Amino acid sequence: MKRLFWFLIAGGGGFLLDAGLTHVLIGIWGFGPFLPRIPAIMTAMAFTWLVNRRLTFGSSGHSLAVEGFRYWAVGTTSAIVNYAVYSALMYRAPLLQPVIAVIFASLTAMAYSFFGYSRFVFRQ
């Protein structure tokens, strides 16, 4: 239960970074709804790795390079899932507010990433 708590804290912080950066890049800087998701997801992924490594799962026992590679492999595929769900929602419902699409995409990616991180990256 403790792992799930810290995973949700990490994910919540990552979500705030992701949604906030997406909002700023779209709403303030005038970018379209698709390109800003890339740096937003990457920023959130870096943040969640730090939190998950320190508080959620602990270090994996692998070298930092191996752990980092595994984390980014799961994170990248999770980001693809996130971006695919977001894009599908924005394409199918163009009047949908981007932040709503971010919520649904992030929840889907969260479920995928928890299992990937706990079983592939930080499994000891």
Side-chain angles (χ1 to χ4, degrees), residues 73-91:
V74 172
T76 299
T77 56
S78 176
I80 291 168
V81 168
N82 187 318
Y83 192 80
V85 171
Y86 172 83
S87 296
L89 289 170
M90 292 305 297
Y91 180 74

Side-chain angles (χ1 to χ4, degrees), residues 21-37 39 86 98:
L21 188 52
T22 298
H23 175 73
V24 166
L25 292 174
I26 292 171
I28 296 174
W29 288 7
F31 285 95
F34 297 101
L35 184 62
R37 295 291 290 132
Y86 172 83

Side-chain angles (χ1 to χ4, degrees), residues 6-72:
W6 283 111
F7 184 79
L8 293 174
I9 295 296
F15 170 78
L16 291 175
L17 284 170
D18 184 358
L21 188 52
T22 298
H23 175 73
V24 166
L25 292 174
I26 292 171
I28 296 174
W29 288 7
F31 285 95
F34 297 101
L35 184 62
R37 295 291 290 132
I38 296 168
I41 289 170
M42 291 175 66
T43 301
M45 194 183 312
F47 172 81
T48 61
W49 180 48
L50 294 173
V51 175
N52 282 327
R53 185 171 205 281
R54 294 197 185 272
L55 301 172
T56 307
F57 301 107
S59 66
S60 65
H62 298 288
S63 71
L64 192 58
V66 169
E67 180 184 297
F69 174 79
R70 287 179 173 202
Y71 194 91
W72 287 94

